[in-house]
Amino acid sequence: MAFHTISVTINHETDQVVVPSNMTLMQMLREKMALTGTKNGCSAGECGACTVLMNGEPVNSCMVLAVECDGARIVTVEGLAGDKQLDPIQDAIIQAGGVQCGFCTPGILISSRALLDRNPSPGEEEIKEALVGNLCRCTGYARIIDSVKAAAKVQLVQAEL
Ligand code: FES
Ligand code: FES
């Protein structure tokens, strides 16, 4: 097995990491960096539980090789909150009761953050489209969608301050 040294920025800190050729980004985050907020639901690109931001775009980290992350910026659910403040989408999903078992929640938070970064005022269809790759088997999606709407409102108010 070949090993590679990559330089990757994870949650705003840049590190050199030695990874085997066949290690996925999800495995690197969970097993080498102890960032276990990124969940392994299927290892097959189907459930979205492992979603992280790679250079600002949501990706299924089980479908990305760690070696492909050389020079990349990765944000995991652990990197969403500021020093003393949750991301508005984290606050909103708690307030709206959009978390049940929570297994899918990290991926939903990341996909929602990516949506709100590119579209600060998404409509319901745009929210559904952004979350189409994030499966939650606990419930309907109504409260999750409400959370994204609420976070968008908070974010717009914060932008005006
Ligand atoms: S664990 Fe990656 S999509 Fe399911
Ligand atoms: S909260 Fe349980 S799978 Fe989504």
Side-chain angles (χ1 to χ4, degrees):
M1 173 69 61
F3 285 80
H4 310 266
T5 302
I6 64 168
S7 173
V8 59
T9 302
I10 299 174
N11 298 334
H12 315 296
E13 281 192 24
T14 303
D15 264 325
Q16 306 258 309
V17 192
V18 178
V19 293
S21 304
N22 64 351
M23 176 172 267
T24 65
L25 171 57
M26 179 183 75
Q27 290 169 325
M28 181 180 83
L29 292 170
R30 291 181 54 82
E31 295 166 20
K32 282 186 110 45
M33 324 300 273
L35 293 170
T36 52
T38 298
K39 301 301 183 203
N40 180 6
C42 67
S43 287
E46 299 288 344
C47 73
C50 66
T51 307
V52 301
L53 295 179
M54 182 174 180
N55 299 325
E57 295 295 327
V59 296
N60 288 330
S61 60
C62 68
M63 293 284 102
V64 176
L65 287 172
V67 289
E68 295 179 82
C69 299
D70 193 20
R73 285 176 292 111
I74 306 295
V75 177
T76 71
V77 70
E78 290 90 344
L80 279 186
D83 275 351
K84 293 191 176 143
Q85 205 171 9
L86 292 177
D87 186 288
I89 185 60
Q90 292 176 304
D91 253 337
I93 205 166
I94 293 167
Q95 299 299 330
V99 181
Q100 280 79 45
C101 79
F103 204 81
C104 65
T105 307
I108 286 172
L109 291 171
I110 293 286
S111 293
S112 300
R113 171 46 45 218
L115 169 66
L116 292 170
D117 283 347
R118 67 175 181 272
N119 179 357
S121 191
E124 183 146 336
E125 288 309 310
E126 291 167 311
I127 297 171
K128 287 181 181 172
E129 199 175 311
L131 295 178
V132 75
N134 294 92
L135 305 184
C136 174
R137 63 183 186 173
C138 297
T139 179
Y141 287 77
R143 291 180 179 192
I144 294 168
I145 291 166
D146 287 348
S147 309
V148 181
K149 290 179 187 168
K153 278 188 193 152
V154 168
Q155 206 170 271
L156 286 174
V157 169
Q158 286 176 347
E160 284 167 12
L161 293 178

